[in-house]
Amino acid sequence: MTRESNRSGIAPPSPGIRDVSRVAGVSITTVSRVLNNSVIPSEATRRKVLEAVEKVGYRPDPLFSAALRRHRSGRGVEPVKTKTIGFLIMRGLQEAAHRRHEDYYSRVLSAVWNVASKQRYHVMFAEVDAGESRVPDLVAENRVDGLLVEAELSAALRKVLVHRLPTVFIDRTYADLAADAVVTDYVQAVTDVLGYLWQLGHRQIALFSDTVDRFYNHESLEGFHRFYESRGLPLLCPELSQPQDIHPEINDQVIDAYLTRLWSTKPRPTAVVAVSNVYAEFMLAHLAKMRRVVPRDLSVASLNDLSVTDIPVHPALTSYRASMDRIGASAAELLLQRIRDPQRPTFRLLVSGRMIERASCGPPPDTSELDLP
Amino acid sequence: MTRESNRSGIAPPSPGIRDVSRVAGVSITTVSRVLNNSVIPSEATRRKVLEAVEKVGYRPDPLFSAALRRHRSGRGVEPVKTKTIGFLIMRGLQEAAHRRHEDYYSRVLSAVWNVASKQRYHVMFAEVDAGESRVPDLVAENRVDGLLVEAELSAALRKVLVHRLPTVFIDRTYADLAADAVVTDYVQAVTDVLGYLWQLGHRQIALFSDTVDRFYNHESLEGFHRFYESRGLPLLCPELSQPQDIHPEINDQVIDAYLTRLWSTKPRPTAVVAVSNVYAEFMLAHLAKMRRVVPRDLSVASLNDLSVTDIPVHPALTSYRASMDRIGASAAELLLQRIRDPQRPTFRLLVSGRMIERASCGPPPDTSELDLP
DNA sequence: CTGAAAGCGCTTACAG
DNA sequence: CTGAAAGCGCTTACAG
């Protein structure tokens, strides 16, 4: 049926646009146009072509099309795509996950695949190092139409990527970059976790956030304040809920000082909520050193269940976990939308999840010690 | 520097083979040849070209090359590739992993990426349904040079894929198919698990395998017999270590009958090793119903830690787990080798792992009951 | 060993 | 609205 009809039986040549044009009785130009909607063809022609496509089982060779359009597309005409999106994951994040036998990153990827494949997109997978500044191969080689980024790239690279390709960031947003993002809903997270602690009897609760200009700090603080306001209560220990000046190198000292301060506050908080698991885990380690028993002496919770430290955690941390399936699916949707319409305004999509009750929270230590309002 | 030199500042056209040829002072034909090794060029030319490539920062457009070569490659000349491999994972397997928060499949993928990216290969990810018989899009569209298959495809599809593309199967081999495979070393697995049980004091150990013509049955049986032979002992309860006629629909009855038989055997086995976690988990469920306590009354172990059932497992199963990193890395190596040399003989690579000691094994119940040789 | 030329499958000015 | 023709970047017979 196609060209020379295969005598060998090996690698049957797939039908080309030429086969379609022959069967449809139109020029290959017309076939191409029907398939790409560049010029609107007559309804009759369109039908003829589509029928022929069906009949010969034609699938355009996306590699050729993509390569061609990339170089020749004039303004106005939307360039054809590789029909592939890239999923960039940070090596550190993922190795940490593996160390802990965590599956979240494969869940995100799986959700991405489900959405992408339904729209006949392919998914390319790549790992990048934290702080990466080189353009990843799949971008340099124009292999993808868009990018899902679950990695902390260098500021320069971020800018290059966003400029060059539709890009959706997962679990991170950047004030200086107009790009889509899918992030955990930290307002929801802090609200749920505080509600849980409240119900256990806690009234004096501190929020441990940091001074980095990241959405999770702002949002959890906002949720924190809202929570207390909605209950008509003043913040009981506002200085302990101020963002802390902390970076990886000084985690130890800052947490140490913080807990010492906490313990000398009167009335002292009976629970601490840390914006990230990393901080919460450092706290558990320090509390163990201080011979404090969690949750008997202090309840500890975290707003982000994604752990990246090597610290052995005991007791298991009660925390909030965004739905990985929804994060992956939403990110993919957002990206495919943007590929279709690069002009649409950027979105930031908040995904909520659920609290995971583990062992690090319990009733407050001693009700008599508390200044109940 | 390239063509019209970009006035717009947007989307700087990347240098082409033409730029390289101009800088090197050779024809584009020669550049192409140096880059693809199709005809061996003179050392001087080669150097000139390579320098020019470096200088202009040329990267061949892999989409074009791949598409071209696919259709024109004559015999003898190795066709250029998309420089992409596909990773096919079975949806069921992966959903089961997610249900259990298992990370093994992301580990395999990660290892695949590490190997592939070092050789500048891309990785495409796709999920397929169990028993899938449609050619996956990434193959139909010629997006990949080779395939890693961690999925149970229909026999027909398997054949098509192996015929069409270099393919490496992960954790499965097929007698009727000359294809590379990376599988768990079941001889090693059974040897390690038996050694562990032996050391706990068990002498009467039964192996639960099935009659399906799969390598894991043959190998674990072989390892099992070797183990007893090497200790100069006869098999003590050979009928219980015969492959069992079992399929998913009758799991319940067969396991039930098996355990009843086991319990009436004299001297009765004090430990059972199941070739798969599925069987072992069914056993735990049945033993619970029979009011038998594991491991007090019977020790249970499994040779494959990858679980796909929904059965709540108690106590946690002691089992053998192949190294996912090594499986992924080896599979990728094997695939890239085969892409380079499609003629090389097929390999079956056995990957060992380690025993994971959990709670389902303990000392044998009552030493006086045992007929120690 | 090297180059000029044809051509891969497809898209897109250009001219009806 | 449609087609003949040029051309995308590259590879590969073909002819030196």
Side-chain angles (χ1 to χ4, degrees):
Chain A
M1 170 158 283
T2 58
R3 266 146 286 177
E4 310 253 297
S5 87
N6 50 319
R7 318 144 216 172
S8 63
I10 278 182
S14 42
I17 196 171
R18 215 160 338 245
D19 300 293
V20 177
S21 81
R22 193 164 23 71
V23 172
V26 297
S27 69
I28 58 167
T29 306
T30 301
V31 175
S32 170
R33 282 203 270 251
V34 169
L35 264 20
N36 297 300
N37 288 308
S38 41
V39 180
I40 294 93
S42 79
E43 196 38 54
T45 312
R46 161 180 235 94
R47 211 185 355 262
K48 267 194 298 186
V49 170
L50 260 19
E51 272 165 16
V53 164
E54 198 60 39
K55 188 160 166 200
V56 304
Y58 171 70
R59 299 250 208 143
D61 186 324
L63 302 190
F64 251 108
S65 322
L68 273 176
R69 282 266 189 105
R70 257 205 326 272
H71 301 281
R72 324 198 74 232
S73 67
R75 357 45 337 154
V77 182
E78 171 201 11
V80 151
K81 310 296 168 44
T82 61
K83 285 278 182 183
T84 306
I85 59 178
F87 179 81
L88 250 47
I89 172 113
M90 183 155 63
R91 199 186 303 272
L93 190 68
Q94 185 193 313
E95 276 166 8
H98 286 166
R99 248 181 350 251
R100 290 173 172 257
H101 290 280
E102 262 285 8
D103 66 330
Y104 57 79
Y105 110 77
S106 69
R107 269 174 192 266
V108 174
L109 177 55
S110 183
V112 166
W113 160 260
N114 282 327
V115 169
S117 65
K118 271 194 199 96
Q119 305 193 31
R120 308 214 82 185
Y121 268 77
H122 299 278
V123 176
M124 270 194 179
F125 169 89
E127 293 183 8
V128 295
D129 289 313
E132 182 66 61
S133 59
R134 264 190 52 244
V135 175
D137 282 350
L138 43 57
V139 175
E141 297 177 4
N142 294 311
R143 296 300 192 102
V144 294
D145 299 335
L147 227 41
L148 257 21
V149 180
E150 179 161 30
E152 203 51 44
L153 309 172
S154 79
L157 178 54
R158 256 182 256 149
K159 225 165 258 176
V160 169
L161 294 184
V162 170
H163 182 252
R164 182 163 171 168
L165 278 179
T167 303
V168 174
F169 290 96
I170 295 180
D171 240 3
R172 39 186 49 80
T173 64
Y174 303 101
D176 59 332
L177 230 46
D180 293 318
V182 176
V183 295
T184 304
D185 185 343
Y186 274 84
V187 172
Q188 191 61 53
V190 80
T191 305
D192 286 5
V193 171
L194 288 175
Y196 168 75
L197 289 167
W198 190 273
Q199 176 200 306
L200 283 175
H202 296 270
R203 292 301 177 266
Q204 287 277 49
I205 306 170
L207 176 74
F208 187 98
S209 60
D210 66 47
T211 52
V212 178
D213 184 30
R214 290 277 166 72
F215 73 99
Y216 55 79
N217 287 312
H218 306 146
E219 300 209 342
S220 46
L221 263 174
E222 188 191 321
F224 185 72
H225 286 114
R226 261 202 239 157
F227 183 88
Y228 273 94
E229 274 163 27
S230 72
R231 276 164 181 70
L233 294 174
L235 262 189
L236 297 177
C237 36
E239 51 315 313
L240 286 171
S241 298
Q242 224 90 76
Q244 305 295 311
D245 193 10
I246 188 168
H247 358 270
E249 308 82 55
I250 57 165
N251 271 344
D252 263 328
Q253 301 123 64
V254 173
I255 300 258
D256 189 22
Y258 181 87
L259 289 173
T260 310
R261 239 182 319 136
L262 182 145
W263 231 272
S264 63
T265 303
K266 287 245 163 290
R268 89 158 165 80
T270 56
V272 192
V273 176
V275 288
S276 87
N277 242 3
V278 178
Y279 298 146
E281 289 170 6
F282 268 96
M283 285 184 187
L284 291 182
H286 267 276
L287 288 165
K289 264 191 233 148
M290 292 163 70
R291 308 247 156 249
R292 304 296 184 182
V293 179
V294 174
R296 196 197 62 195
D297 302 330
L298 183 73
S299 286
V300 178
S302 138
L303 296 182
N304 187 338
D305 199 48
L306 307 188
S307 283
V308 292
T309 73
D310 261 330
I311 305 175
V313 182
H314 184 82
L317 257 177
T318 289
S319 64
Y320 190 87
R321 168 173 276 228
S323 157
M324 294 301 141
D325 294 330
R326 271 198 272 167
I327 285 191
S330 314
E333 302 273 20
L334 240 44
L335 181 58
L336 294 176
Q337 271 177 24
R338 176 159 297 283
I339 287 173
R340 255 177 268 121
D341 175 14
Q343 304 313 326
R344 83 140 160 67
T346 42
F347 289 147
R348 212 178 84 193
L349 212 133
L350 302 179
V351 174
S352 60
R354 62 198 178 78
M355 245 207 49
I356 303 187
E357 194 174 345
R358 286 194 279 245
S360 66
C361 295
D366 181 11
T367 354
S368 71
E369 195 191 308
L370 297 169
D371 262 352
L372 286 181
Chain B
M1 169 158 279
T2 60
R3 267 144 286 176
E4 311 254 296
S5 86
N6 50 318
R7 318 143 215 174
S8 64
I10 277 183
S14 43
I17 197 171
R18 213 156 345 240
D19 301 291
V20 177
S21 81
R22 193 165 21 70
V23 171
V26 297
S27 70
I28 57 168
T29 306
T30 301
V31 175
S32 169
R33 282 203 269 251
V34 169
L35 264 21
N36 296 299
N37 288 309
S38 41
V39 180
I40 294 93
S42 78
E43 197 39 54
T45 312
R46 159 178 236 96
R47 207 181 2 260
K48 267 194 299 187
V49 170
L50 261 18
E51 272 163 16
V53 165
E54 198 62 38
K55 189 161 165 200
V56 305
Y58 170 72
R59 298 250 208 143
D61 187 324
L63 301 190
F64 252 108
S65 323
L68 273 176
R69 284 265 189 108
R70 251 198 337 263
H71 301 280
R72 325 198 73 233
S73 66
R75 354 48 337 154
V77 183
E78 171 201 12
V80 151
K81 311 296 168 48
T82 61
K83 287 276 184 188
T84 306
I85 59 176
F87 179 82
L88 250 47
I89 172 113
M90 183 156 61
R91 198 186 303 273
L93 191 67
Q94 185 193 313
E95 275 165 10
H98 286 166
R99 245 180 353 249
R100 291 173 172 256
H101 291 279
E102 263 285 9
D103 67 330
Y104 56 78
Y105 109 77
S106 69
R107 270 175 190 264
V108 174
L109 178 56
S110 183
V112 166
W113 160 261
N114 283 326
V115 169
S117 65
K118 270 193 199 97
Q119 305 193 30
R120 309 214 80 186
Y121 268 77
H122 299 278
V123 177
M124 270 195 181
F125 170 89
E127 294 182 8
V128 295
D129 289 313
E132 181 67 60
S133 60
R134 265 190 52 244
V135 174
D137 283 351
L138 43 58
V139 175
E141 298 177 5
N142 295 310
R143 298 300 191 102
V144 294
D145 299 335
L147 228 40
L148 257 23
V149 180
E150 180 160 30
E152 202 51 43
L153 310 172
S154 79
L157 179 53
R158 256 182 253 149
K159 226 165 257 174
V160 169
L161 295 184
V162 169
H163 183 251
R164 183 163 171 168
L165 279 177
T167 303
V168 175
F169 290 95
I170 295 180
D171 240 4
R172 40 186 48 80
T173 63
Y174 303 100
D176 58 334
L177 230 46
D180 293 319
V182 177
V183 295
T184 305
D185 186 342
Y186 274 83
V187 172
Q188 191 62 53
V190 80
T191 306
D192 286 5
V193 171
L194 288 175
Y196 167 75
L197 289 168
W198 191 273
Q199 177 200 305
L200 283 175
H202 296 270
R203 292 300 175 269
Q204 285 277 49
I205 306 171
L207 174 73
F208 188 97
S209 60
D210 65 48
T211 53
V212 179
D213 185 29
R214 289 277 166 71
F215 71 102
Y216 57 77
N217 286 313
H218 306 145
E219 300 209 342
S220 46
L221 263 175
E222 188 192 322
F224 185 73
H225 286 113
R226 261 202 239 154
F227 183 89
Y228 274 94
E229 273 163 28
S230 72
R231 274 163 183 72
L233 295 174
L235 262 189
L236 298 178
C237 36
E239 51 316 313
L240 286 170
S241 298
Q242 224 88 77
Q244 304 294 312
D245 192 11
I246 189 169
H247 358 270
E249 308 82 54
I250 56 163
N251 271 343
D252 263 329
Q253 301 121 66
V254 174
I255 301 258
D256 189 23
Y258 181 85
L259 290 173
T260 310
R261 238 181 320 136
L262 183 144
W263 231 272
S264 64
T265 303
K266 289 246 162 285
R268 89 159 166 79
T270 56
V272 191
V273 176
V275 288
S276 88
N277 241 2
V278 178
Y279 297 146
E281 289 170 6
F282 267 95
M283 285 184 188
L284 291 182
H286 266 276
L287 288 165
K289 264 192 230 146
M290 292 162 71
R291 308 247 156 251
R292 305 295 184 183
V293 179
V294 174
R296 195 197 61 194
D297 302 329
L298 181 74
S299 285
V300 177
S302 138
L303 296 182
N304 186 338
D305 199 49
L306 307 188
S307 282
V308 292
T309 73
D310 261 330
I311 305 174
V313 181
H314 183 81
L317 259 177
T318 290
S319 64
Y320 190 87
R321 169 172 276 229
S323 157
M324 294 301 140
D325 294 331
R326 272 197 272 165
I327 284 191
S330 314
E333 302 273 20
L334 238 45
L335 182 58
L336 294 175
Q337 272 178 24
R338 176 159 298 281
I339 287 173
R340 256 176 267 120
D341 176 15
Q343 303 313 324
R344 83 139 160 68
T346 43
F347 289 148
R348 212 179 84 192
L349 213 133
L350 302 179
V351 174
S352 61
R354 60 196 180 80
M355 244 208 48
I356 303 186
E357 194 174 345
R358 287 193 279 244
S360 65
C361 295
D366 181 12
T367 352
S368 71
E369 193 190 310
L370 298 171
D371 261 352
L372 287 180

